[in-house]
Amino acid sequence: MSSRTASIARSALPPAVFGVGFLALWELVVKGFDLKPYFLAPPSKIWQKFTENFDLVWGATKVSGTNALVGLLVGTAFGIVMSLVLSRYRVLSDLVTPLAIALNAIPIFVLVAVLNNMFAITSEVPRRIMVTLVVYFIVLVNVARGLTQVSATHVELMRSYAASEVAILRKVRVPNAVPYLFTSLKIAAPASVITAFVSEYFGGSQNGLGSRIASNIANSKNAVAWAYVLGACLLGLTFYVISSLLEGAATPGGGSKRAKKSR
Amino acid sequence: MSAVEIRNLGKIFNAGSSNQVDALVDIDLSIASGEFVSLIGPSGCGKSTLLRLVANLLEPTSGDIAVNGKSAKQARLDQDYGMAFQQSGLFDWRTVVKNIELPLELKGWDKAKRRERALEMLELVKLADFAEHFPWQLSGGMQQRVAIARALAVHPQLLLMDEPFGALDEMTREHMQGELLSICRRTGSTVIFVTHSIPEAVYLSNRVVVMSPRPGRITKIVDVTIEGERTDATRDNAAFFAGITAVREALRGVEMSAHVRGIEDR
């Protein structure tokens, strides 16, 4: 146990030292060159504003975080269901997959402007739909790959056992797709947070992190804007860490270990 | 009754198109129950295709295959055979014992019964201590032993093996050959064994079927007559060397005729 703690400390120490050093340098540059607060706020000031406005930042984080979470869950559910359908009907897959990949490559979150037109001005629904769409395509493309790219030996083996297509799906394709699902969640989780922020720039209620950052910058309250940025960073990080932990928990023997050893 | 009866078998891939391949023509082979038969020949001679036709993983273009007196398809549906490949094909997400349970699971056995059988099979391949390990925690030779245990789990009378030791180092390979023979002695299985290795074929088999490519066909069947039980000492036996020479000459004939027809195999 102590050796494990030591190894975590060894791997965590260099980036921690680097981070602290970076903040110190930032502080020194702002103070040393006497940079104006509307140009760049020093970390100490940002931290002060963060603690002063903690309730406001927390409130905005809850709004953006909820939008991201709802979109993430719904998008993942749709993505999984659709990939199962596509793996069952190959014709459909040939039709949809290129489209999904193409859509994945363009910044489709601008669609939120169109969605805003369809719902009440204070509605959070357009933002959630937007996050859902982004997450959906990420999950769909990855999970569909996991369901179809199974080892040829495994399929031959199952056929030699006279296994039905349903049995092959349950015993081979779905377990094979599980690591793909968690990889896609690791990509989709931060993407859901980013999409939730950016969606706020296209109108609607001014209650989330994204719109607060914009309005504080507009009011020259630079340090307060940075406090919201800090909140945004922490939110994105939380989503990422949770999805990483889920991956570790869902993979027997630990995900990265297995990926390295299996052939 | 013979275990496998092959009559006038032919297999053509991409029939009618410009890249038509005559994988197998005029294959006749009868394999007695309890016999160990190896298929050997250069790449492209159709030995793996022949094995897959017996397994009903491919459908023949012409001719018949009977396994245990049934059609190949019925034999597959009844799980009359077990199969092992060059890749162990173990499922990473299942423990060793759960891997062996899979064919029994698909047969609808209840949990206690299939656990008992799987542990019995692990005992047979001497891996009882590794039941709860995951495949990636085992060496290549151990993984292949688990794959053999899985192939034997339904107690099939017929074992189909496609270069199962092909990816192993020489030492492990010879060890595994001995293990396989001792397992077969205990289970009385009939085995069809595809290999590239002449000594392996001769050491294991009662008969070695030599095949040639383009079109894939049987050129010679070499009887291996080694007295008594085969052990490591067999590898120094004169009859063993005689068998190797006979198979090598049969294969050389295959190469010679390929050269005469101006076909380069590389």
Side-chain angles (χ1 to χ4, degrees), chain B residues 87-112:
Chain B
Q87 281 87 30
S88 66
L90 297 177
F91 296 92
D92 265 349
W93 52 85
R94 287 173 164 253
T95 57
V96 164
V97 68
K98 285 244 174 199
N99 263 288
I100 301 174
E101 282 181 34
L102 180 65
L104 308 171
E105 234 174 279
L106 291 162
K107 266 194 147 181
W109 286 31
D110 70 58
K111 208 176 161 135

PDB file of all heavy atoms in Angstrom, chain B residues 87-112:
ATOM      1  N   GLN B  87      -4.766 -18.903 -33.336  1.00  0.00           N
ATOM      2  CA  GLN B  87      -5.003 -17.987 -32.222  1.00  0.00           C
ATOM      3  C   GLN B  87      -5.866 -18.727 -31.218  1.00  0.00           C
ATOM      4  O   GLN B  87      -6.837 -19.374 -31.601  1.00  0.00           O
ATOM      5  CB  GLN B  87      -5.767 -16.729 -32.674  1.00  0.00           C
ATOM      6  CG  GLN B  87      -4.923 -15.682 -33.369  1.00  0.00           C
ATOM      7  CD  GLN B  87      -4.819 -15.949 -34.843  1.00  0.00           C
ATOM      8  OE1 GLN B  87      -5.739 -16.506 -35.429  1.00  0.00           O
ATOM      9  NE2 GLN B  87      -3.695 -15.588 -35.448  1.00  0.00           N
ATOM     10  N   SER B  88      -5.502 -18.628 -29.959  1.00  0.00           N
ATOM     11  CA  SER B  88      -6.269 -19.375 -28.963  1.00  0.00           C
ATOM     12  C   SER B  88      -7.741 -18.959 -29.000  1.00  0.00           C
ATOM     13  O   SER B  88      -8.614 -19.765 -28.706  1.00  0.00           O
ATOM     14  CB  SER B  88      -5.681 -19.157 -27.579  1.00  0.00           C
ATOM     15  OG  SER B  88      -5.828 -17.811 -27.187  1.00  0.00           O
ATOM     16  N   GLY B  89      -8.007 -17.693 -29.385  1.00  0.00           N
ATOM     17  CA  GLY B  89      -9.396 -17.247 -29.487  1.00  0.00           C
ATOM     18  C   GLY B  89     -10.116 -17.245 -28.151  1.00  0.00           C
ATOM     19  O   GLY B  89     -11.325 -17.438 -28.087  1.00  0.00           O
ATOM     20  N   LEU B  90      -9.354 -17.028 -27.073  1.00  0.00           N
ATOM     21  CA  LEU B  90     -10.003 -16.940 -25.764  1.00  0.00           C
ATOM     22  C   LEU B  90     -10.619 -15.550 -25.626  1.00  0.00           C
ATOM     23  O   LEU B  90     -10.157 -14.597 -26.234  1.00  0.00           O
ATOM     24  CB  LEU B  90      -8.973 -17.167 -24.649  1.00  0.00           C
ATOM     25  CG  LEU B  90      -8.315 -18.550 -24.656  1.00  0.00           C
ATOM     26  CD1 LEU B  90      -7.266 -18.637 -23.563  1.00  0.00           C
ATOM     27  CD2 LEU B  90      -9.340 -19.643 -24.496  1.00  0.00           C
ATOM     28  N   PHE B  91     -11.668 -15.474 -24.810  1.00  0.00           N
ATOM     29  CA  PHE B  91     -12.332 -14.195 -24.610  1.00  0.00           C
ATOM     30  C   PHE B  91     -11.701 -13.486 -23.420  1.00  0.00           C
ATOM     31  O   PHE B  91     -11.732 -13.984 -22.299  1.00  0.00           O
ATOM     32  CB  PHE B  91     -13.835 -14.409 -24.397  1.00  0.00           C
ATOM     33  CG  PHE B  91     -14.507 -14.984 -25.604  1.00  0.00           C
ATOM     34  CD1 PHE B  91     -14.653 -16.351 -25.751  1.00  0.00           C
ATOM     35  CD2 PHE B  91     -14.969 -14.160 -26.610  1.00  0.00           C
ATOM     36  CE1 PHE B  91     -15.254 -16.889 -26.885  1.00  0.00           C
ATOM     37  CE2 PHE B  91     -15.574 -14.692 -27.743  1.00  0.00           C
ATOM     38  CZ  PHE B  91     -15.721 -16.051 -27.880  1.00  0.00           C
ATOM     39  N   ASP B  92     -11.131 -12.312 -23.711  1.00  0.00           N
ATOM     40  CA  ASP B  92     -10.393 -11.533 -22.708  1.00  0.00           C
ATOM     41  C   ASP B  92     -11.233 -11.187 -21.487  1.00  0.00           C
ATOM     42  O   ASP B  92     -10.710 -10.980 -20.411  1.00  0.00           O
ATOM     43  CB  ASP B  92      -9.935 -10.209 -23.341  1.00  0.00           C
ATOM     44  CG  ASP B  92      -8.526 -10.324 -23.863  1.00  0.00           C
ATOM     45  OD1 ASP B  92      -7.877 -11.332 -23.545  1.00  0.00           O
ATOM     46  OD2 ASP B  92      -8.077  -9.402 -24.566  1.00  0.00           O
ATOM     47  N   TRP B  93     -12.536 -11.037 -21.713  1.00  0.00           N
ATOM     48  CA  TRP B  93     -13.393 -10.557 -20.633  1.00  0.00           C
ATOM     49  C   TRP B  93     -13.948 -11.701 -19.782  1.00  0.00           C
ATOM     50  O   TRP B  93     -14.727 -11.482 -18.876  1.00  0.00           O
ATOM     51  CB  TRP B  93     -14.540  -9.712 -21.198  1.00  0.00           C
ATOM     52  CG  TRP B  93     -15.307 -10.407 -22.285  1.00  0.00           C
ATOM     53  CD1 TRP B  93     -16.332 -11.269 -22.127  1.00  0.00           C
ATOM     54  CD2 TRP B  93     -15.099 -10.281 -23.693  1.00  0.00           C
ATOM     55  NE1 TRP B  93     -16.777 -11.704 -23.343  1.00  0.00           N
ATOM     56  CE2 TRP B  93     -16.037 -11.115 -24.328  1.00  0.00           C
ATOM     57  CE3 TRP B  93     -14.204  -9.536 -24.490  1.00  0.00           C
ATOM     58  CZ2 TRP B  93     -16.122 -11.232 -25.714  1.00  0.00           C
ATOM     59  CZ3 TRP B  93     -14.281  -9.663 -25.856  1.00  0.00           C
ATOM     60  CH2 TRP B  93     -15.232 -10.500 -26.473  1.00  0.00           C
ATOM     61  N   ARG B  94     -13.551 -12.933 -20.109  1.00  0.00           N
ATOM     62  CA  ARG B  94     -13.991 -14.079 -19.312  1.00  0.00           C
ATOM     63  C   ARG B  94     -12.788 -14.709 -18.637  1.00  0.00           C
ATOM     64  O   ARG B  94     -11.718 -14.797 -19.239  1.00  0.00           O
ATOM     65  CB  ARG B  94     -14.637 -15.131 -20.223  1.00  0.00           C
ATOM     66  CG  ARG B  94     -16.005 -14.737 -20.724  1.00  0.00           C
ATOM     67  CD  ARG B  94     -16.494 -15.740 -21.758  1.00  0.00           C
ATOM     68  NE  ARG B  94     -17.927 -15.574 -21.940  1.00  0.00           N
ATOM     69  CZ  ARG B  94     -18.831 -16.436 -21.479  1.00  0.00           C
ATOM     70  NH1 ARG B  94     -18.466 -17.537 -20.885  1.00  0.00           N
ATOM     71  NH2 ARG B  94     -20.107 -16.194 -21.650  1.00  0.00           N
ATOM     72  N   THR B  95     -12.994 -15.204 -17.425  1.00  0.00           N
ATOM     73  CA  THR B  95     -11.921 -15.933 -16.761  1.00  0.00           C
ATOM     74  C   THR B  95     -11.694 -17.231 -17.517  1.00  0.00           C
ATOM     75  O   THR B  95     -12.510 -17.632 -18.356  1.00  0.00           O
ATOM     76  CB  THR B  95     -12.287 -16.259 -15.306  1.00  0.00           C
ATOM     77  OG1 THR B  95     -13.499 -17.010 -15.311  1.00  0.00           O
ATOM     78  CG2 THR B  95     -12.462 -14.998 -14.479  1.00  0.00           C
ATOM     79  N   VAL B  96     -10.576 -17.903 -17.196  1.00  0.00           N
ATOM     80  CA  VAL B  96     -10.227 -19.154 -17.855  1.00  0.00           C
ATOM     81  C   VAL B  96     -11.372 -20.160 -17.753  1.00  0.00           C
ATOM     82  O   VAL B  96     -11.806 -20.735 -18.757  1.00  0.00           O
ATOM     83  CB  VAL B  96      -8.932 -19.713 -17.222  1.00  0.00           C
ATOM     84  CG1 VAL B  96      -8.737 -21.176 -17.578  1.00  0.00           C
ATOM     85  CG2 VAL B  96      -7.733 -18.891 -17.680  1.00  0.00           C
ATOM     86  N   VAL B  97     -11.902 -20.345 -16.563  1.00  0.00           N
ATOM     87  CA  VAL B  97     -12.946 -21.354 -16.382  1.00  0.00           C
ATOM     88  C   VAL B  97     -14.230 -20.962 -17.134  1.00  0.00           C
ATOM     89  O   VAL B  97     -14.902 -21.799 -17.728  1.00  0.00           O
ATOM     90  CB  VAL B  97     -13.196 -21.626 -14.875  1.00  0.00           C
ATOM     91  CG1 VAL B  97     -13.817 -20.422 -14.189  1.00  0.00           C
ATOM     92  CG2 VAL B  97     -14.060 -22.852 -14.680  1.00  0.00           C
ATOM     93  N   LYS B  98     -14.508 -19.647 -17.170  1.00  0.00           N
ATOM     94  CA  LYS B  98     -15.703 -19.178 -17.891  1.00  0.00           C
ATOM     95  C   LYS B  98     -15.536 -19.342 -19.401  1.00  0.00           C
ATOM     96  O   LYS B  98     -16.512 -19.562 -20.123  1.00  0.00           O
ATOM     97  CB  LYS B  98     -15.949 -17.701 -17.570  1.00  0.00           C
ATOM     98  CG  LYS B  98     -16.528 -17.489 -16.192  1.00  0.00           C
ATOM     99  CD  LYS B  98     -17.902 -16.889 -16.326  1.00  0.00           C
ATOM    100  CE  LYS B  98     -18.583 -16.795 -14.999  1.00  0.00           C
ATOM    101  NZ  LYS B  98     -20.025 -16.655 -15.156  1.00  0.00           N
ATOM    102  N   ASN B  99     -14.303 -19.242 -19.887  1.00  0.00           N
ATOM    103  CA  ASN B  99     -14.039 -19.493 -21.299  1.00  0.00           C
ATOM    104  C   ASN B  99     -14.383 -20.929 -21.662  1.00  0.00           C
ATOM    105  O   ASN B  99     -14.980 -21.184 -22.706  1.00  0.00           O
ATOM    106  CB  ASN B  99     -12.556 -19.219 -21.611  1.00  0.00           C
ATOM    107  CG  ASN B  99     -12.325 -17.837 -22.196  1.00  0.00           C
ATOM    108  OD1 ASN B  99     -12.674 -17.588 -23.343  1.00  0.00           O
ATOM    109  ND2 ASN B  99     -11.772 -16.948 -21.406  1.00  0.00           N
ATOM    110  N   ILE B 100     -13.992 -21.840 -20.781  1.00  0.00           N
ATOM    111  CA  ILE B 100     -14.247 -23.257 -21.063  1.00  0.00           C
ATOM    112  C   ILE B 100     -15.736 -23.564 -20.950  1.00  0.00           C
ATOM    113  O   ILE B 100     -16.265 -24.439 -21.630  1.00  0.00           O
ATOM    114  CB  ILE B 100     -13.411 -24.142 -20.118  1.00  0.00           C
ATOM    115  CG1 ILE B 100     -11.931 -23.827 -20.327  1.00  0.00           C
ATOM    116  CG2 ILE B 100     -13.670 -25.623 -20.358  1.00  0.00           C
ATOM    117  CD1 ILE B 100     -11.009 -24.509 -19.368  1.00  0.00           C
ATOM    118  N   GLU B 101     -16.429 -22.796 -20.104  1.00  0.00           N
ATOM    119  CA  GLU B 101     -17.868 -23.022 -19.922  1.00  0.00           C
ATOM    120  C   GLU B 101     -18.701 -22.566 -21.122  1.00  0.00           C
ATOM    121  O   GLU B 101     -19.839 -23.012 -21.288  1.00  0.00           O
ATOM    122  CB  GLU B 101     -18.367 -22.276 -18.676  1.00  0.00           C
ATOM    123  CG  GLU B 101     -18.036 -22.961 -17.371  1.00  0.00           C
ATOM    124  CD  GLU B 101     -18.569 -22.179 -16.182  1.00  0.00           C
ATOM    125  OE1 GLU B 101     -19.639 -21.570 -16.309  1.00  0.00           O
ATOM    126  OE2 GLU B 101     -17.897 -22.165 -15.146  1.00  0.00           O
ATOM    127  N   LEU B 102     -18.123 -21.671 -21.947  1.00  0.00           N
ATOM    128  CA  LEU B 102     -18.928 -21.056 -23.009  1.00  0.00           C
ATOM    129  C   LEU B 102     -19.689 -22.046 -23.898  1.00  0.00           C
ATOM    130  O   LEU B 102     -20.903 -21.913 -24.063  1.00  0.00           O
ATOM    131  CB  LEU B 102     -18.057 -20.112 -23.851  1.00  0.00           C
ATOM    132  CG  LEU B 102     -18.782 -19.406 -24.990  1.00  0.00           C
ATOM    133  CD1 LEU B 102     -19.847 -18.464 -24.442  1.00  0.00           C
ATOM    134  CD2 LEU B 102     -17.815 -18.627 -25.849  1.00  0.00           C
ATOM    135  N   PRO B 103     -19.013 -23.072 -24.486  1.00  0.00           N
ATOM    136  CA  PRO B 103     -19.789 -23.988 -25.340  1.00  0.00           C
ATOM    137  C   PRO B 103     -20.899 -24.705 -24.572  1.00  0.00           C
ATOM    138  O   PRO B 103     -21.939 -25.018 -25.157  1.00  0.00           O
ATOM    139  CB  PRO B 103     -18.737 -24.977 -25.849  1.00  0.00           C
ATOM    140  CG  PRO B 103     -17.520 -24.758 -25.048  1.00  0.00           C
ATOM    141  CD  PRO B 103     -17.581 -23.383 -24.498  1.00  0.00           C
ATOM    142  N   LEU B 104     -20.686 -24.939 -23.281  1.00  0.00           N
ATOM    143  CA  LEU B 104     -21.709 -25.619 -22.466  1.00  0.00           C
ATOM    144  C   LEU B 104     -22.875 -24.669 -22.185  1.00  0.00           C
ATOM    145  O   LEU B 104     -24.035 -25.085 -22.179  1.00  0.00           O
ATOM    146  CB  LEU B 104     -21.087 -26.102 -21.151  1.00  0.00           C
ATOM    147  CG  LEU B 104     -19.821 -26.933 -21.318  1.00  0.00           C
ATOM    148  CD1 LEU B 104     -19.156 -27.191 -19.982  1.00  0.00           C
ATOM    149  CD2 LEU B 104     -20.156 -28.258 -22.002  1.00  0.00           C
ATOM    150  N   GLU B 105     -22.521 -23.399 -21.953  1.00  0.00           N
ATOM    151  CA  GLU B 105     -23.524 -22.349 -21.774  1.00  0.00           C
ATOM    152  C   GLU B 105     -24.459 -22.316 -22.980  1.00  0.00           C
ATOM    153  O   GLU B 105     -25.678 -22.251 -22.839  1.00  0.00           O
ATOM    154  CB  GLU B 105     -22.784 -21.014 -21.703  1.00  0.00           C
ATOM    155  CG  GLU B 105     -23.060 -20.135 -20.515  1.00  0.00           C
ATOM    156  CD  GLU B 105     -22.135 -18.942 -20.525  1.00  0.00           C
ATOM    157  OE1 GLU B 105     -20.978 -19.105 -20.087  1.00  0.00           O
ATOM    158  OE2 GLU B 105     -22.532 -17.860 -20.988  1.00  0.00           O
ATOM    159  N   LEU B 106     -23.864 -22.382 -24.176  1.00  0.00           N
ATOM    160  CA  LEU B 106     -24.659 -22.305 -25.396  1.00  0.00           C
ATOM    161  C   LEU B 106     -25.500 -23.561 -25.598  1.00  0.00           C
ATOM    162  O   LEU B 106     -26.491 -23.545 -26.324  1.00  0.00           O
ATOM    163  CB  LEU B 106     -23.748 -22.074 -26.605  1.00  0.00           C
ATOM    164  CG  LEU B 106     -23.115 -20.683 -26.624  1.00  0.00           C
ATOM    165  CD1 LEU B 106     -21.914 -20.632 -27.556  1.00  0.00           C
ATOM    166  CD2 LEU B 106     -24.140 -19.635 -27.027  1.00  0.00           C
ATOM    167  N   LYS B 107     -25.076 -24.652 -24.964  1.00  0.00           N
ATOM    168  CA  LYS B 107     -25.873 -25.873 -25.032  1.00  0.00           C
ATOM    169  C   LYS B 107     -26.987 -25.865 -24.002  1.00  0.00           C
ATOM    170  O   LYS B 107     -27.806 -26.775 -23.961  1.00  0.00           O
ATOM    171  CB  LYS B 107     -24.981 -27.096 -24.783  1.00  0.00           C
ATOM    172  CG  LYS B 107     -24.450 -27.731 -26.049  1.00  0.00           C
ATOM    173  CD  LYS B 107     -23.870 -29.100 -25.743  1.00  0.00           C
ATOM    174  CE  LYS B 107     -24.087 -30.039 -26.911  1.00  0.00           C
ATOM    175  NZ  LYS B 107     -23.545 -31.377 -26.634  1.00  0.00           N
ATOM    176  N   GLY B 108     -26.981 -24.853 -23.120  1.00  0.00           N
ATOM    177  CA  GLY B 108     -28.050 -24.713 -22.141  1.00  0.00           C
ATOM    178  C   GLY B 108     -27.843 -25.519 -20.864  1.00  0.00           C
ATOM    179  O   GLY B 108     -28.783 -25.796 -20.144  1.00  0.00           O
ATOM    180  N   TRP B 109     -26.587 -25.872 -20.579  1.00  0.00           N
ATOM    181  CA  TRP B 109     -26.313 -26.589 -19.329  1.00  0.00           C
ATOM    182  C   TRP B 109     -26.518 -25.657 -18.138  1.00  0.00           C
ATOM    183  O   TRP B 109     -26.296 -24.457 -18.250  1.00  0.00           O
ATOM    184  CB  TRP B 109     -24.857 -27.073 -19.308  1.00  0.00           C
ATOM    185  CG  TRP B 109     -24.576 -28.234 -20.201  1.00  0.00           C
ATOM    186  CD1 TRP B 109     -25.191 -28.539 -21.380  1.00  0.00           C
ATOM    187  CD2 TRP B 109     -23.569 -29.225 -20.006  1.00  0.00           C
ATOM    188  NE1 TRP B 109     -24.631 -29.661 -21.926  1.00  0.00           N
ATOM    189  CE2 TRP B 109     -23.632 -30.103 -21.106  1.00  0.00           C
ATOM    190  CE3 TRP B 109     -22.619 -29.449 -19.004  1.00  0.00           C
ATOM    191  CZ2 TRP B 109     -22.789 -31.189 -21.223  1.00  0.00           C
ATOM    192  CZ3 TRP B 109     -21.767 -30.528 -19.127  1.00  0.00           C
ATOM    193  CH2 TRP B 109     -21.866 -31.401 -20.227  1.00  0.00           C
ATOM    194  N   ASP B 110     -26.895 -26.225 -16.986  1.00  0.00           N
ATOM    195  CA  ASP B 110     -27.033 -25.363 -15.811  1.00  0.00           C
ATOM    196  C   ASP B 110     -25.650 -25.076 -15.213  1.00  0.00           C
ATOM    197  O   ASP B 110     -24.670 -25.771 -15.481  1.00  0.00           O
ATOM    198  CB  ASP B 110     -28.017 -25.938 -14.781  1.00  0.00           C
ATOM    199  CG  ASP B 110     -27.469 -27.158 -14.095  1.00  0.00           C
ATOM    200  OD1 ASP B 110     -26.394 -27.058 -13.482  1.00  0.00           O
ATOM    201  OD2 ASP B 110     -28.115 -28.220 -14.177  1.00  0.00           O
ATOM    202  N   LYS B 111     -25.645 -24.048 -14.365  1.00  0.00           N
ATOM    203  CA  LYS B 111     -24.395 -23.471 -13.896  1.00  0.00           C
ATOM    204  C   LYS B 111     -23.481 -24.475 -13.182  1.00  0.00           C
ATOM    205  O   LYS B 111     -22.286 -24.571 -13.490  1.00  0.00           O
ATOM    206  CB  LYS B 111     -24.719 -22.306 -12.956  1.00  0.00           C
ATOM    207  CG  LYS B 111     -23.646 -21.257 -12.956  1.00  0.00           C
ATOM    208  CD  LYS B 111     -24.041 -20.075 -12.102  1.00  0.00           C
ATOM    209  CE  LYS B 111     -22.779 -19.323 -11.787  1.00  0.00           C
ATOM    210  NZ  LYS B 111     -22.812 -17.946 -11.909  1.00  0.00           N
ATOM    211  N   ALA B 112     -24.041 -25.216 -12.262  1.00  0.00           N
ATOM    212  CA  ALA B 112     -23.231 -26.121 -11.450  1.00  0.00           C
ATOM    213  C   ALA B 112     -22.598 -27.203 -12.324  1.00  0.00           C
ATOM    214  O   ALA B 112     -21.426 -27.531 -12.190  1.00  0.00           O
ATOM    215  CB  ALA B 112     -24.095 -26.757 -10.369  1.00  0.00           C
TER     216      ALA B 112
END
